[in-house]
Amino acid sequence: MEITLGTVQFGLNYGITNSIGKTPFKEVQSIMEYAKKVEIKTLDTAPSYGDAENILGSVGVSNFEIITKTPHFPGNTIRKQDIHLLIQTIKSSLDALKVNQVSAILIHNVMDCYKFGINDVFDTLRQMKEDGIIKKIGVSVYEVKDIERIVELDFLVDIIQIPINVLNQSVVQKGWLPKLKEKNIEIHARSIFLQGLLLADEEALNIDQREALEEYFYQLRLLNLTKLEGALLYINQIKEIDKVLVGINNLEHLKAIIAAKNRVQVLENKIEFEKFATSNRSIIDPRLW
């Protein structure tokens, strides 16, 4: 299980269970030092994450692979000014990060992939790939239908970043992971804690969330597993996943994740995770919260 460090909390107050707020600069420095120590190789950021890219550039990212993202394009059509915005945004990201190249650029808003003119965006990114500005091209998706769209139009992506967690197992259940591997597409799992929902105290959940998680949490208690370990245990059993994105806002949180990761990698899985999957979008899609 290869961890990618999410940095949204470095620039924004993000996550329903985040009671700490934006991570202070000195804490970011400590997190980055520890990340090097435990051999985390990849950072995930975006120009829309507040000043996260500037903070990363100030701390220094020379020892990391960087994944950043495109801006959102307004309107229903990708226009010439949107391509100009794309080029300028990537240039600004490179300047902020103080690097000449990033590991990958992902389409941040998957709805852009449904717009007329999206091919111009991919053509521009492919040219940047040829020019050595970026190494890989990807898309951050929400649903299986988004993957179907990308594959159908043959966008030739290198990376798909998709929510995969105990409650949201749709991409697993519909058999897309082996298909993506056959196409040599990297699979990056995100939202593995469902923005903290899978780690939350039961009292903090609404009725639907509590009902969806009640039996799962009971199973964790029976097996003497923490909620953090349960979430990581589920991901660890999915061998097609190349990288696992985790967002953190303090050093102790990262240390806890690494400790839980190390434990679950040597545990035998005794949980029938598939029975906890739900298709209720109001639970598994944070856009609807």
Side-chain angles (χ1 to χ4, degrees):
M1 188 192 312
E2 183 176 341
I3 297 290
T4 291
L5 185 61
T7 67
V8 61
Q9 287 97 333
F10 295 179
L12 295 173
N13 184 357
Y14 177 85
I16 64 166
T17 60
N18 178 11
S19 60
I20 300 173
K22 179 180 168 181
T23 307
F25 183 77
K26 287 187 177 180
E27 189 75 1
V28 173
Q29 290 177 308
S30 298
I31 289 167
M32 298 282 280
E33 282 300 318
Y34 182 75
K36 292 177 196 173
K37 180 180 176 181
V38 296
E39 298 184 336
I40 290 174
K41 299 180 178 67
T42 308
L43 305 176
D44 179 276
T45 191
S48 62
Y49 292 171
D51 56 354
E53 290 183 331
N54 284 297
I55 289 169
L56 290 173
S58 296
V59 174
V61 295
S62 59
N63 294 308
F64 296 94
E65 296 286 322
I66 306 295
I67 296 173
T68 190
K69 304 180 185 76
T70 60
H72 172 59
F73 306 113
N76 298 319
T77 300
I78 305 294
R79 302 156 298 175
K80 286 185 179 179
Q81 53 261 48
D82 295 317
I83 300 303
H84 178 72
L85 174 64
L86 171 67
I87 294 168
Q88 288 304 118
T89 300
I90 293 174
K91 182 181 183 300
S92 295
S93 290
L94 294 172
D95 289 343
L97 292 162
K98 298 179 182 176
V99 297
N100 297 317
Q101 182 190 64
V102 290
S103 177
I105 296 284
L106 308 186
I107 304 291
H108 200 175
N109 188 333
V110 70
M111 296 310 298
D112 290 333
C113 292
Y114 293 84
K115 296 177 181 178
F116 181 81
I118 185 59
N119 283 324
D120 293 337
V121 172
F122 279 99
D123 287 345
T124 302
L125 293 177
R126 279 191 285 270
Q127 184 59 55
M128 289 184 169
K129 189 177 177 181
E130 289 181 15
D131 293 342
I133 297 170
I134 62 179
K135 294 180 183 178
K136 297 175 183 178
I137 300 167
V139 183
S140 176
V141 307
Y142 270 95
E143 303 178 58
V144 167
K145 70 175 184 179
D146 301 329
I147 298 176
E148 293 170 348
R149 167 78 174 176
I150 291 161
V151 171
E152 175 190 350
L153 296 183
D154 199 19
F155 286 142
L156 300 177
V157 299
D158 305 296
I159 298 169
I160 293 282
Q161 189 187 88
I162 188 165
I164 306 176
N165 56 63
V166 172
L167 293 180
N168 186 356
Q169 303 181 28
S170 58
V171 70
V172 178
Q173 293 176 332
K174 294 185 179 180
W176 266 103
L177 299 186
K179 295 176 185 177
L180 293 175
K181 298 311 293 181
E182 288 174 6
K183 295 179 177 294
N184 294 317
I185 295 174
E186 289 182 25
I187 298 165
H188 295 194
R190 79 167 190 277
S191 197
I192 68 166
F193 306 132
L194 197 47
Q195 285 197 21
L197 190 70
L198 295 173
L199 309 179
D201 292 333
E202 284 89 328
E203 299 77 28
L205 305 176
N206 65 36
I207 293 175
D208 290 341
Q209 293 167 344
R210 196 176 300 125
E211 287 182 355
L213 288 167
E214 185 176 15
E215 176 61 23
Y216 166 64
F217 285 159
Y218 174 70
Q219 287 292 317
L220 293 182
R221 288 192 293 271
L222 282 181
L223 295 169
N224 195 29
L225 291 170
T226 67
K227 292 171 182 174
L228 183 56
E229 289 168 343
L232 290 167
L233 182 63
Y234 171 66
I235 295 297
N236 188 60
Q237 68 172 350
I238 306 172
K239 302 309 178 187
E240 293 92 347
I241 294 175
D242 295 287
K243 295 187 179 183
V244 181
L245 175 61
V246 297
I248 55 100
N249 53 19
N250 61 69
L251 178 58
E252 292 309 309
H253 189 192
L254 179 57
K255 287 182 176 179
I257 289 171
I258 296 301
K261 175 183 82 82
N262 291 340
R263 184 183 179 206
V264 302
Q265 286 183 318
V266 297
L267 282 180
E268 178 187 355
N269 176 32
K270 297 181 180 179
I271 300 178
E272 295 178 30
F273 282 107
E274 59 272 11
K275 70 182 183 181
F276 301 118
T278 178
S279 58
N280 186 339
R281 303 300 305 177
S282 68
I283 294 176
I284 62 176
D285 191 341
R287 295 175 298 179
L288 304 178
W289 294 353

